[in-house]
Amino acid sequence: MASQIQDRLTTDQDLLLMQEGMMMRKVRTRFWKKLRFFRLQNDGMTVWHARQANDIAKLTFSISDVETIRKGHDSELLRELMEEFPLEQGFTIVFHGRRPNLDLVASSVEEAQIWMRGLQLLVDLVASMDHQEQLDQWVSEWFQRGDRNQDGRMSFGEAQRLLLLMNVEMDQDYALRLFQTADVSQSDTLEGEEFVHFYKALTKRTEVEQLFEHFSSDGQKLTLLEFVDFLREDQKEKENARDLALELIDRYEPSENGRLLHVLSKDGFLRYLCSKDGNIFNPDCLPVYQDMTQPLNHYYINSSHNTYLLRDQLCGQSSVEGYIRALKRGCRCVEVDVWDGPGGEPIVYHGHTLTSRILFKDVVATLAQYAFQFSDYPLILSLENHCTWDQQHTLAQHLIEILGEQLLSTTIDGVLMDKLPSPEQLRGKVLLKGRKLSTIEADIEDIDEEEELEDDQESELDADPFPELDALLQPESQELTSGNKHIKKDSATILCPDLSALVVYLRTVPFCSFTHSKENYYICDISSFSESKARHLVKEAGNEFVQHNARQLCRVYPSALRTDSSNFHPQELWNAGCHMVAMNMQTPGSAMDICDGFFRQNGGSGYVLKPEFLCDIQSSFDPERPVSLYKAQLLLVQVISGQQLPKVDSTKEKSVVDPLVKVELFGVPEDNKQQETSYVENNGFNPYWGETFCFRVQVPELAILRFVVKDYSWTSRNKFIGQYTLPWTCMKQGMALASTQLPSLCISACGKTWRRMNPEKHEEGLQSRKIYRSIIPSNLQVSQNPEPTKGSIKDQGSQRLGKDA
């Protein structure tokens, strides 16, 4: 595939013109619009820009960073400038992860089309690369970076500099030996395949080879029977192991002759370990695998708080992009705060703050376009209504006219049911959550759910069970303004019947007590809780909260003090069966890592079926004092090695990382544990840890496992490098890959492979189930602007242990 890119660079007319470069206007805001010269580099993988064609250029982005290309009409920012620049001349580059979009305006429609077609072609080619093609491209990029004089050959001096860029601090004599071994032409330079051999020598995985040789009789290949033995013994593939072995050999063996003979080479074995079939995340849990025909209140629902905000809660930008990003993450409950706007058009913003305003109809149009692109299961629109009667009528009109058939406006089959409909019954539908005029009981108090105030005593009791993940939580007593619990009423708002009629199954009601809810509310009623209120209920009445959540839906939202859009840890609320734990999705961090890792399962549908004991209205489960329905289990994790970890400070060519791995377990309070390896000094290229940890898990159905790679520092806080999170129930048996997910500033990928065995019971009453041995394989996925970290290597044949390991 890398060769396909090179072929297209010389034949595709669009790519040829992009390599010549063009002046385009880079647009950041309505007021920042500057001309820049953009050019596709000869590698076909990077775009650089400069003020003028002959000025010093700098890297703008890598093609591997790009997710898609949007037309100018789809850019909120470019639409605001349509009177200044024709939308046909503009386009938007959307990046993976949290990197902001790049809006560009070309000099003509034709030039815009050239860049849109060319970039999308390159993005499609990169997306279709398999592991070997990614590796080939990776090696090619490193050669281009190391060849400073661009003569197509690499001297030993250039190779030494390249090692520093790759985060390798290698003994010079040892590096020279590797260089001379690869230099088969004895020209004192490396070319083509010689550099490939040099790179393979650097990335040799002694621990993987030892495993391979353990099952291989000749040390060169795995026969079909030997590979079957590996699958049965290490991967725990008891059934159909032979058929699976044939399938995997056909898929990952690079040699045609090997495929014909049904044997697997070392390269094929490594390709298998680095593939989706070797991932720690059980592939059976990646598609929709759960029963989606149960009532809505039997599911956790991926939820967002103040979805329209891109930054903080006081001065942040409001944008429809917030909804697009949340939906891409699998969010199925988005929030809209609507207020009266000028010209009779309702607006969306965080009321009584300096956040910017956007039109409600633009939000609804965005939801109509993106609601079911990433999941076709129901989308819940949580409406915080602050509008007067007339503009509420406008709200209803926009919802009906823009969403059309997507909007659920009547009950399923036109009749009320004694239970909520299922996600399957509601596929492709938008459900409005909000206040509703009642004919069953007296009018419900008109409240803004997120202005509920709590008493000081309640907040002071709300200790934080997750101090590390929730370090930003301020004392919640500050958000209290009254010693008496009460509800702030919006007396100016009278509910419009047209808007009320659109609320079918999700009527918001105030929470008074569990007894009151049980006696007065219905299956379609939903209450919202602040994080401190919900935590207090978990601690003081955990079992009642579980039963309440088994009976009807609930939503939990962040504290009003989180003006920086920080997040609380969702695990404690999931333990009590809370369905919609709303997150500030614009803010990265450990809390969002947990949320993203948990909702990755079940097809990323945004719906995860709760354990049975959280769906039973007679459940005796108390998350603070759990009694597991099954025997406790043991988790053994052996962290072995790593390779090509990213630099923490990529601006310093000689920077070094001292990596360590922290293994964190989350669940009920007594399952919250963490352990970490020793650090490996000066080696981010191929660190070796070889340490084993044991965790006792009381309620595995609620457990989540997180692996964090950090750079040790004795003078300051350890710096984050990457992480991987997944639910206990989705862990795969046997040796499996787990590519760490890195923050947007990190520019390389690191992978982990976890080998799971089934040892005998370690103590009476404990059922040993899941055990992993960790191997971090070579670079497994091409990430943004790859730049691995540097390490210290003296002899590839010796164990690479830090002095404290």
Side-chain angles (χ1 to χ4, degrees):
M1 184 60 67
S3 61
Q4 282 193 39
I5 292 179
Q6 295 302 316
D7 291 343
R8 293 296 187 99
L9 289 174
T10 58
T11 58
D12 187 274
Q13 190 63 32
D14 291 334
L15 298 184
L16 288 170
L17 292 172
M18 290 167 63
Q19 291 175 78
E20 295 178 5
M22 298 179 192
M23 292 296 295
M24 291 188 287
R25 198 171 296 274
K26 182 179 179 180
V27 182
R28 288 182 178 172
T29 68
R30 287 179 295 174
F31 311 105
W32 198 101
K33 311 175 286 286
K34 297 186 178 181
L35 282 172
R36 295 290 184 262
F37 182 78
F38 288 85
R39 185 169 74 86
L40 175 67
Q41 299 299 294
N42 296 333
D43 60 4
M45 288 296 295
T46 54
V47 173
W48 292 60
H49 79 274
R51 293 180 181 273
Q52 299 293 333
N54 297 323
D55 288 352
I56 298 176
K58 62 180 181 180
L59 177 67
T60 309
F61 61 87
S62 170
I63 298 299
S64 58
D65 298 344
V66 180
E67 179 180 315
T68 189
I69 313 297
R70 292 185 197 157
K71 297 179 181 179
H73 294 84
D74 295 328
S75 168
E76 183 179 21
L77 178 57
L78 295 181
R79 285 199 303 269
E80 294 179 1
L81 300 171
M82 60 186 302
E83 295 183 0
E84 188 175 352
F85 306 112
L87 288 176
E88 293 77 9
Q89 291 178 211
F91 61 95
T92 302
I93 300 173
V94 181
F95 299 100
H96 294 291
R98 298 181 179 274
R99 180 173 175 176
N101 298 342
L102 175 61
D103 288 297
L104 298 174
V105 178
S107 301
S108 66
V109 176
E110 181 182 2
E111 290 187 359
Q113 292 295 321
I114 288 171
W115 277 87
M116 291 176 65
R117 289 193 302 262
L119 288 173
Q120 194 61 58
L121 171 63
L122 293 174
V123 169
D124 292 341
L125 290 174
V126 170
S128 61
M129 286 181 178
D130 61 21
H131 171 69
Q132 187 60 46
E133 290 163 344
Q134 289 180 3
L135 183 59
D136 292 343
Q137 183 64 40
W138 176 271
V139 174
S140 175
E141 288 180 9
W142 277 121
F143 185 84
Q144 294 293 328
R145 296 184 65 183
D147 184 16
R148 297 192 72 175
N149 59 8
Q150 298 297 302
D151 62 355
R153 297 187 298 271
M154 185 175 295
S155 65
F156 180 63
E158 289 175 323
Q160 285 182 299
R161 175 181 174 272
L162 178 63
L163 291 176
L164 290 176
L165 292 175
M166 298 175 74
N167 212 15
V168 184
E169 186 177 324
M170 184 178 289
D171 178 81
Q172 183 170 335
D173 292 337
Y174 179 61
L176 181 60
R177 290 202 305 272
L178 293 181
F179 185 90
Q180 291 174 339
T181 301
D183 181 21
V184 294
S185 63
Q186 298 184 348
S187 62
D188 294 330
T189 60
L190 301 180
E191 303 179 48
E193 285 300 314
E194 291 178 331
F195 179 75
V196 173
H197 289 304
F198 179 66
Y199 180 86
K200 285 186 175 181
L202 292 175
T203 57
K204 182 179 180 181
R205 304 303 305 275
T206 302
E207 53 274 11
V208 174
E209 291 191 358
Q210 289 175 350
L211 178 67
F212 181 87
E213 291 168 1
H214 174 74
F215 287 92
S216 172
S217 58
D218 61 5
Q220 301 299 315
K221 65 182 182 302
L222 291 176
T223 65
L224 178 60
L225 291 180
E226 290 169 343
F227 190 38
V228 168
D229 288 342
F230 167 77
L231 293 177
R232 285 175 174 165
E233 294 179 23
D234 269 46
Q235 306 300 77
K236 310 306 174 187
E237 299 286 354
K238 300 299 183 182
E239 298 180 3
N240 303 318
R242 188 179 187 279
D243 293 339
L244 178 61
L246 289 170
E247 180 182 338
L248 295 175
I249 290 173
D250 188 60
R251 186 176 302 163
Y252 299 113
E253 172 54 43
S255 164
E256 182 178 356
N257 188 51
R259 293 194 297 271
L260 291 173
L261 296 175
H262 302 317
V263 298
L264 193 64
S265 63
K266 287 183 180 179
D267 285 342
F269 184 66
L270 184 58
R271 289 178 67 182
Y272 157 67
L273 291 180
C274 297
S275 71
K276 62 181 182 180
D277 290 305
N279 199 287
I280 185 176
F281 206 110
N282 189 339
D284 293 338
C285 298
L286 288 175
V288 175
Y289 73 99
Q290 294 179 335
D291 179 9
M292 302 298 283
T293 64
Q294 298 191 33
L296 279 181
N297 54 313
H298 285 192
Y299 297 86
Y300 296 113
I301 303 174
N302 196 352
S303 303
S304 168
H305 172 251
N306 288 356
T307 316
Y308 48 87
L309 289 178
L310 298 184
R311 293 191 296 274
D312 65 86
Q313 305 285 315
L314 294 181
C315 304
Q317 178 187 358
S318 301
S319 171
V320 297
E321 191 66 34
Y323 292 93
I324 299 173
R325 294 176 184 178
L327 293 171
K328 283 167 57 179
R329 300 176 82 92
C331 179
R332 293 287 87 192
C333 178
V334 296
E335 185 175 15
V336 185
D337 285 297
V338 284
W339 301 77
D340 283 356
E345 280 295 339
I347 57 174
V348 175
Y349 83 111
H350 196 197
H352 312 299
T353 69
L354 298 178
T355 56
S356 60
R357 291 102 193 270
I358 55 178
L359 293 176
F360 175 74
K361 64 180 180 181
D362 288 345
V363 171
V364 180
T366 300
L367 296 180
Q369 181 178 356
Y370 291 95
F372 304 106
Q373 284 193 13
F374 309 98
S375 170
D376 58 357
Y377 286 98
L379 176 67
I380 297 171
L381 180 57
S382 181
L383 187 69
E384 295 295 331
N385 172 24
H386 307 270
C387 293
T388 55
W389 179 288
D390 290 341
Q391 293 212 16
Q392 287 184 55
H393 181 71
T394 304
L395 293 177
Q397 282 186 315
H398 287 329
L399 289 168
I400 294 171
E401 293 173 3
I402 298 175
L403 293 178
E405 293 297 318
Q406 291 180 326
L407 180 65
L408 184 75
S409 55
T410 61
T411 57
I412 299 296
D413 296 330
V415 296
L416 289 171
M417 297 183 290
D418 58 354
K419 62 180 180 180
L420 286 172
S422 69
E424 184 64 35
Q425 291 174 303
L426 296 169
R427 288 180 83 152
K429 291 297 183 181
V430 176
L431 281 68
L432 189 63
K433 169 187 167 290
R435 290 179 288 118
K436 185 176 180 66
L437 295 174
S438 175
T439 58
I440 301 174
E441 57 183 340
D443 286 348
I444 296 173
E445 288 182 290
D446 189 6
I447 63 168
D448 176 1
E449 296 172 73
E450 301 200 7
E451 292 179 357
E452 182 180 338
L453 303 176
E454 302 166 28
D455 59 79
D456 289 86
Q457 288 184 343
E458 195 169 83
S459 288
E460 290 171 356
L461 290 171
D462 191 14
D464 187 355
F466 302 100
E468 178 173 320
L469 292 180
D470 210 5
L472 294 177
L473 178 61
Q474 302 177 34
E476 300 210 29
S477 58
Q478 297 179 29
E479 71 178 299
L480 306 171
T481 60
S482 171
N484 298 319
K485 184 166 66 176
H486 65 279
I487 295 174
K488 182 176 178 180
K489 300 182 181 180
D490 185 0
S491 57
T493 303
I494 301 175
L495 191 58
C496 172
D498 292 342
L499 185 60
S500 172
L502 300 180
V503 177
V504 181
Y505 287 112
L506 304 176
R507 181 183 67 162
T508 58
V509 294
F511 175 80
C512 299
S513 69
F514 292 127
T515 300
H516 178 271
S517 295
K518 186 175 182 179
E519 294 176 352
N520 294 277
Y521 292 154
Y522 300 87
I523 193 69
C524 60
D525 291 334
I526 175 173
S527 298
S528 288
F529 304 85
S530 69
E531 62 173 274
S532 54
K533 175 68 173 180
R535 281 173 162 173
H536 178 74
L537 292 174
V538 170
K539 292 182 179 299
E540 299 301 317
N543 178 247
E544 287 185 272
F545 206 2
V546 168
Q547 293 181 359
H548 172 88
N549 292 329
R551 187 169 51 253
Q552 64 185 75
L553 289 166
C554 90
R555 178 176 178 267
V556 181
Y557 55 86
S559 164
L561 283 178
R562 295 185 180 275
T563 56
D564 59 352
S565 295
S566 60
N567 280 303
F568 59 97
H569 196 297
Q571 182 71 52
E572 183 182 14
L573 290 315
W574 289 338
N575 291 344
C578 296
H579 312 83
M580 306 177 202
V581 181
M583 309 293 289
N584 289 313
M585 290 193 167
Q586 71 271 35
T587 306
S590 52
M592 277 308 304
D593 293 340
I594 297 294
C595 184
D596 289 339
F598 179 72
F599 281 106
R600 185 186 175 196
Q601 62 180 307
N602 207 32
S605 63
Y607 287 83
V608 172
L609 191 62
K610 298 195 297 184
E612 290 186 8
F613 56 82
L614 293 181
C615 298
D616 181 4
I617 60 175
Q618 303 296 328
S619 176
S620 61
F621 180 76
D622 186 335
E624 292 296 302
R625 291 165 286 276
V627 177
S628 179
L629 302 179
Y630 309 99
K631 290 183 178 180
Q633 298 184 3
L634 286 183
L635 170 66
L636 302 184
V637 179
Q638 184 183 9
V639 183
I640 295 183
S641 65
Q643 192 165 38
Q644 295 182 340
L645 305 179
K647 290 184 178 182
V648 173
D649 187 355
S650 59
T651 62
K652 297 181 180 179
E653 188 172 281
K654 295 185 179 182
S655 63
V656 181
V657 297
D658 302 325
L660 59 85
V661 178
K662 178 183 289 187
V663 184
E664 301 173 333
L665 184 69
F666 303 102
V668 296
E670 63 186 271
D671 286 345
N672 295 324
K673 304 178 181 73
Q674 61 182 28
Q675 299 184 59
E676 67 180 40
T677 67
S678 303
Y679 69 91
V680 178
E681 188 175 16
N682 292 344
N683 188 354
F685 188 70
N686 55 359
Y688 183 94
W689 294 284
E691 299 185 36
T692 302
F693 307 123
C694 178
F695 297 91
R696 184 181 187 275
V697 187
Q698 180 69 26
V699 187
E701 299 88 345
L702 297 174
I704 293 177
L705 195 63
R706 183 170 184 253
F707 305 97
V708 189
V709 185
K710 292 191 174 184
D711 177 22
Y712 170 79
S713 173
W714 66 274
T715 60
S716 62
R717 189 176 182 179
N718 295 341
K719 295 181 179 179
F720 176 81
I721 296 178
Q723 67 86 36
Y724 189 88
T725 304
L726 77 164
W728 169 285
T729 55
C730 294
M731 287 190 288
K732 181 183 177 183
Q733 290 213 43
M735 180 170 293
L737 161 74
S739 299
T740 59
Q741 300 166 340
L742 305 170
S744 59
L745 294 179
C746 293
I747 45 181
S748 178
C750 143
K752 291 191 184 67
T753 308
W754 311 97
R755 179 179 178 186
R756 189 172 105 189
M757 301 164 286
N758 285 326
E760 296 185 342
K761 297 179 182 179
H762 288 259
E763 57 182 282
E764 189 174 354
L766 296 180
Q767 179 186 348
S768 302
R769 179 190 172 203
K770 303 194 175 189
I771 301 186
Y772 293 86
R773 192 178 77 186
S774 156
I775 300 176
I776 306 179
S778 59
N779 179 53
L780 304 177
Q781 60 187 43
V782 179
S783 185
Q784 292 111 282
N785 308 325
E787 184 163 328
T789 46
K790 128 182 169 182
S792 175
I793 305 174
K794 292 188 177 179
D795 191 323
Q796 188 74 23
S798 63
Q799 269 194 339
R800 295 172 296 279
L801 290 173
K803 62 181 182 181
D804 296 328

